[in-house]
Amino acid sequence: VAGLGILFLGMGMMSAAMIPLRNSEGFVRLMTKFSNPLLGILAGAGFTAIIQSSSASVGILQALAVSGLIGIDSAVFVLFGQNIGACVTAMLASIGTNRAGKRAAMIHLMFNVIGTLVFIPICLFLPYVELIEGLTADPKLQISFAHIGFNIVATLLLLPFAKLLVRLAEKLVPGKDA
């Protein structure tokens, strides 16, 4: 219980430390001006990897959306990048672990990269964004719903391929298990 409390305390401190970025003109420009969805993905991944807090980066994305600085049509791509950037923490944590820990971090990364690759065409060619916009007018909730939808759909799509992901992780992180 104490560990969980410290985790949430740390997340709160990180979120509070990131609040000034909402007023930074350079940061807002970086996070909101995308002509290409891949740039949004890269920006989301890079920012989340640097601050190593997906909750803080999603909170900042929600604040930008509420301010009208980014629309949900662009925010979804930043959000997908944030999912990928969140894997950096697991990858760093796996450095001192055994092969199983490294493979688990690799599967986490593969899950988010494959999920993003699946969702890029969904957002570009299907009415996913319109569906999210139809659920609520609140930009914070739209981003939350898009995030939940991403994770549910990616999990349902990749669950039947769990053994394949494990085998791929074993190829990428070779060696005998202890």
Side-chain angles (χ1 to χ4, degrees):
V1 173
L4 191 60
I6 291 171
L7 172 72
F8 283 113
L9 179 66
M11 287 172 46
M13 291 172 65
M14 181 66 82
S15 295
M18 295 298 120
I19 288 173
L21 286 177
R22 294 179 189 171
N23 301 323
S24 168
E25 185 178 320
F27 174 75
V28 170
R29 196 174 329 109
L30 171 72
M31 294 298 285
T32 60
K33 305 295 182 202
F34 306 112
S35 58
N36 183 334
L38 294 178
L39 295 177
I41 293 168
L42 290 174
F47 178 67
T48 305
I50 289 169
I51 68 168
Q52 293 186 22
S53 174
S54 60
S55 60
S57 64
V58 170
I60 290 171
L61 181 64
Q62 288 174 320
L64 293 172
V66 167
S67 301
L69 296 171
I70 188 169
I72 186 69
D73 56 328
S74 295
V76 291
F77 296 107
V78 175
L79 184 65
F80 302 152
Q82 289 171 331
N83 281 317
I84 294 170
C87 297
V88 168
T89 306
M91 298 299 278
L92 290 173
S94 75
I95 289 172
T97 65
N98 59 17
R99 281 183 185 75
K102 288 175 177 54
R103 290 175 181 158
M106 184 60 66
I107 290 171
H108 183 221
L109 178 63
M110 288 187 296
F111 173 88
N112 284 309
V113 169
I114 294 168
T116 296
L117 292 174
V118 167
F119 264 82
I120 290 171
I122 287 174
C123 289
L124 291 176
F125 304 115
L126 296 176
Y128 181 71
V129 171
E130 291 80 7
L131 172 72
I132 297 298
E133 288 175 321
L135 295 174
T136 180
D138 184 354
K140 287 188 299 188
L141 287 177
Q142 289 174 349
I143 290 171
S144 295
F145 291 154
H147 197 204
I148 291 167
F150 171 87
N151 284 300
I152 289 173
V153 171
T155 300
L156 292 175
L157 285 174
L158 293 174
L159 193 58
F161 302 101
K163 289 182 181 180
L164 182 65
L165 288 173
V166 169
R167 283 197 303 260
L168 184 56
E170 289 170 346
K171 296 267 189 227
L172 293 171
V173 183
K176 297 276 185 197
D177 291 327

